[in-house]
Every structure is written in C-alpha cells, then in structure tokens.
Amino acid sequence: MKISDILEYTELRSFLGRAKTVKTLLIGDICADIYWSCDMTKSRLSRETPHFPLPVVRERMSLGAGGNAAECIKSLGVNDLSVIGVVRNDWRGECLRRLLAERGIPDDSVITERTGFTNAYIKPMKFGFSGEEVESARLDFENELPISPETEEKVIVKLREKAADADILVVCDQFKNGIITDRVIDEIISIAASGKPVVVDSRTRIDKFGGCVLKPNEVECAAALGKTPGRNADISEYASLARELSDKMGSSVCVTVGDKGSITVNSSAKLIPAVAAKPPFDVVGAGDCFLSAFSTALAVGFTFEKAALFGNMASSIVVKKIGTTGSASPEELETTYTELEVNSEKGIMNI
C-alpha cells in the first residue's frame, strides 16, 4: 500500500505550509555528536603499548540528542523555534553554539554552566581498504553531577517566559544529570495542565510526566511499567503496554515500535504502519526525527494518528542517511511522497 492511499497530498502540503507558522519551544539535553573517521590502513603497532592506534583522518560534528531534535524541527520549515539547553564553558560548548547558529537556531536561551563539560557522543568510524565505515564503541561524555541550583533557576525562568508565547512545548530528556531536573519536570507538568500541548520524549523517566503527550519507544514504555517486552513480542503485547501506560499517566501515548510502526492511544488504540525502508539503513536519529514531525503535526492541528503517520514518514527518510543523525526536509518529503509504501495492506488499524 502506498502512503498516498492513507495520506492525501493536500494533507502533506497543508502540513508543510502550516509548519512555517508554528511557534515551537524545545527544552532538553543538547549535545555534540562527533564523528572520527579512522583510516585503519595507516595504523601501525605502537612502540610503547601493544595496541594499534586509531589514525583519525577526518573529524565532523553535528547536533545530538535534543540538539538533533531541534535541527529536525527546523529542517521541516519551522521558522519560530526556541531552544532551552545547557552547555559548559568548554570548546564543545562553543562548537554546539556554532552548530546551532549555522542551522539558524537562536542560542539566546542556551545557558552556560561553569562546571563540568559539555555532553558529547564521540563515534569512531573505522574504515579499511574498502572505504566502508564501521562504527566502533562510542565514547560518551556525560556529566556525573547535576546542574547547579543557579542554572536550574535560570532554566525555569526561561521556560516560563518562552512557554507563554509558544504553540507547543517539546521535551527531550536524555541524561540523568541534564537540564530536566525534578523542579523543571514540575514546571513542565504545570504548563501541560494549563492547556498547552506538551510532547515528551524521555529515555528513563517517561513515567514522571503525567498529563503530557508521551512518546516513548517500546522499551522505554515497558520500563516505565516495570516490565520488559518479550524478545518476540507482537503488536498486541506492545498495544497492551501502551494502553497501560496511558491509563497509569492519564496521558495520550504514542509508542514507536521500530519497523512495525507506532501505536497511538488517545481515545482508542491504533496501529500506525511504518513506512517501508530497505537496507542498508541507520536508525540513529530516527526517534528525534519522528518526534519533530509528530509534534509539529499536532501543533498545526492534525489528528493524533495522522501526526504519528507524519512521524513515521519523516523517520523513514532519516534511516537511509548512513553514518549521521540526519533530518527530513520538506523537499525530501514531497519528492518521496509518491514512492513511499507502508508495511500494511490495511493502513491505520484499530488494535
């Protein structure tokens, strides 16, 4: 089944046109994704140690975590985007500000914390005679101490100020000791209770955001319920978990389930089919891209189910971008619209 069978072209054009007018506020853990291309044909045994070093011949950087979600939102054509984040007073913090500026994202609400280091994921990419890169184990720079009380207070002041004028608040909770503290969570819940649409993507604490729209993946959803999905879990098991989380939190829920698509629980539970993608693909950043399209579609008034379909469509473009987090542009969404197929013959289904 073609995506055009369940999503009309006029809906796509409406989504892309109205996205330009949305006032989006994103708060979350921003970090640097740093890629080191290592030419292993140049590696020589160290004289001092019994190891072959990684000869780095190229270095490139991109926005990671909440920063990547912000870039994905901006790439959809959203002109009015504010980002509340924290960097440290180091070279990676300077690089993050530069990356935001290059993408036209204001950094006036990005706060500099004087202690610790700017969070980063460093990804060594090895290649040999074939030239094909293979990612090695990451080096994760993640602070072990929480942000200072002074920085926390600045974050809350910024959140109150910016949320008042925003159409939607998007929350990216990535790190244990990041910007989303208990006090910040309380403020986010208060904003949601006031009637403002709030969409939350949280790696380990999705069960703390009652009353918000929750967007976990299947593992995060199960963990919030103290469970682990079976290795061969089917859609019915994932749907049961999604319903349970929705009931527990009093929230609408959208659970992404990889190549199976996504499950929405609003007034009822539905399976939103995935957009088919053939190997090779790279799933890094797909969740951020889904979040950006899903949130933007909700902000401009699309139904919960159609918003999830836009999320599936955007993430299907990103997974084809190998070795980078990536984003989906309006041009890419339009170009691929007539080609994309969903992995279902029934479209959106009640489950």
Side-chain angles (χ1 to χ4, degrees):
M1 175 181 286
K2 295 281 190 180
I3 197 165
S4 56
D5 293 326
I6 51 177
L7 181 71
E8 295 181 6
Y9 181 67
T10 54
E11 292 179 296
L12 174 62
R13 290 297 305 158
S14 175
F15 168 68
L16 296 177
R18 292 158 69 188
K20 298 175 183 178
T21 67
V22 175
K23 294 180 179 180
T24 300
L25 173 61
L26 182 144
I27 182 170
D29 298 316
I30 59 176
C31 77
D33 276 359
I34 304 175
Y35 294 85
W36 290 342
S37 292
C38 307
D39 185 351
M40 299 311 295
T41 67
K42 299 180 182 296
S43 185
R44 301 292 181 267
L45 182 64
S46 168
R47 289 177 180 242
E48 296 80 17
T49 66
H51 299 294
F52 285 85
L54 302 180
V56 179
V57 296
R58 291 186 299 274
E59 181 181 49
R60 56 189 172 88
M61 298 184 188
S62 62
L63 293 167
N68 184 53
E71 180 173 355
C72 288
I73 292 170
K74 189 71 176 179
S75 295
L76 287 171
V78 175
N79 292 316
D80 194 338
L81 170 63
S82 296
V83 174
I84 302 174
V86 170
V87 298
R88 264 56 178 196
N89 190 26
D90 57 16
W91 67 272
R92 282 186 294 269
E94 294 175 2
C95 288
L96 265 179
R97 289 188 183 275
R98 175 178 55 79
L99 288 167
L100 288 168
E102 288 175 352
R103 287 148 180 81
I105 302 172
D107 69 346
D108 57 307
S109 296
V110 175
I111 299 159
T112 298
E113 168 79 87
R114 285 179 289 181
T115 60
F117 46 73
T118 299
N119 294 316
Y121 292 139
I122 296 180
K123 305 175 181 182
M125 308 293 291
K126 295 180 183 178
F127 66 94
F129 291 108
S130 72
E132 182 178 348
E133 290 189 333
V134 177
E135 184 175 341
S136 295
R138 283 197 329 239
L139 288 75
D140 289 358
F141 285 77
E142 183 176 342
N143 287 280
E144 294 187 358
L145 296 176
I147 60 174
S148 67
E150 295 78 14
T151 295
E152 181 183 55
E153 187 61 33
K154 290 178 182 178
V155 168
I156 291 171
V157 169
K158 282 286 186 185
L159 180 56
R160 289 172 180 167
E161 171 194 335
K162 293 288 186 177
D165 193 43
D167 294 321
I168 191 166
L169 172 61
V170 180
V171 181
C172 296
D173 178 27
Q174 183 91 358
F175 299 116
K176 178 181 178 182
N177 294 305
I179 189 174
I180 311 297
T181 64
D182 288 343
R183 285 189 63 205
V184 172
I185 291 174
D186 288 342
E187 192 66 32
I188 290 168
I189 292 171
S190 176
I191 291 169
S194 73
K196 183 83 64 178
V198 178
V199 181
V200 178
D201 189 353
S202 177
R203 178 160 288 190
T204 60
R205 299 181 295 180
I206 200 73
D207 59 334
K208 300 295 184 183
F209 296 88
C212 302
V213 174
L214 309 181
K215 193 224 74 70
N217 61 30
E218 71 275 31
V219 175
E220 294 160 351
C221 177
L225 300 166
K227 300 179 180 181
T228 302
R231 186 177 297 273
N232 299 312
D234 58 17
I235 287 299
S236 62
E237 181 175 344
Y238 293 137
S240 177
L241 292 170
R243 289 191 194 93
E244 187 175 346
L245 181 63
S246 178
D247 290 343
K248 174 183 176 181
M249 302 301 297
S251 300
S252 295
V253 170
C254 179
V255 180
T256 55
V257 286
D259 61 2
K260 295 178 178 65
S262 51
I263 296 169
T264 59
V265 182
N266 197 6
S267 56
S268 59
K270 296 183 185 294
L271 173 64
I272 315 302
V275 177
K278 296 179 181 179
F281 46 77
D282 183 348
V283 299
V284 175
D288 296 329
C289 192
F290 180 98
L291 175 68
S292 68
F294 174 69
S295 300
T296 302
L298 286 180
V300 300
F302 279 91
T303 66
F304 210 67
E305 295 76 24
K306 285 292 176 72
L309 188 61
F310 278 117
N312 288 350
M313 185 179 179
S315 59
S316 74
I317 292 171
V318 166
V319 297
K320 296 300 293 180
K321 298 181 179 182
I322 311 300
T324 184
T325 45
S327 59
S329 69
E331 294 76 18
E332 289 171 318
L333 288 166
E334 280 212 71
T335 300
T336 59
Y337 171 75
T338 56
E339 305 169 3
L340 295 178
E341 296 186 356
V342 296
N343 59 2
S344 168
E345 291 304 319
K346 298 180 180 179
I348 297 173
M349 297 185 296
N350 291 315
I351 50 174

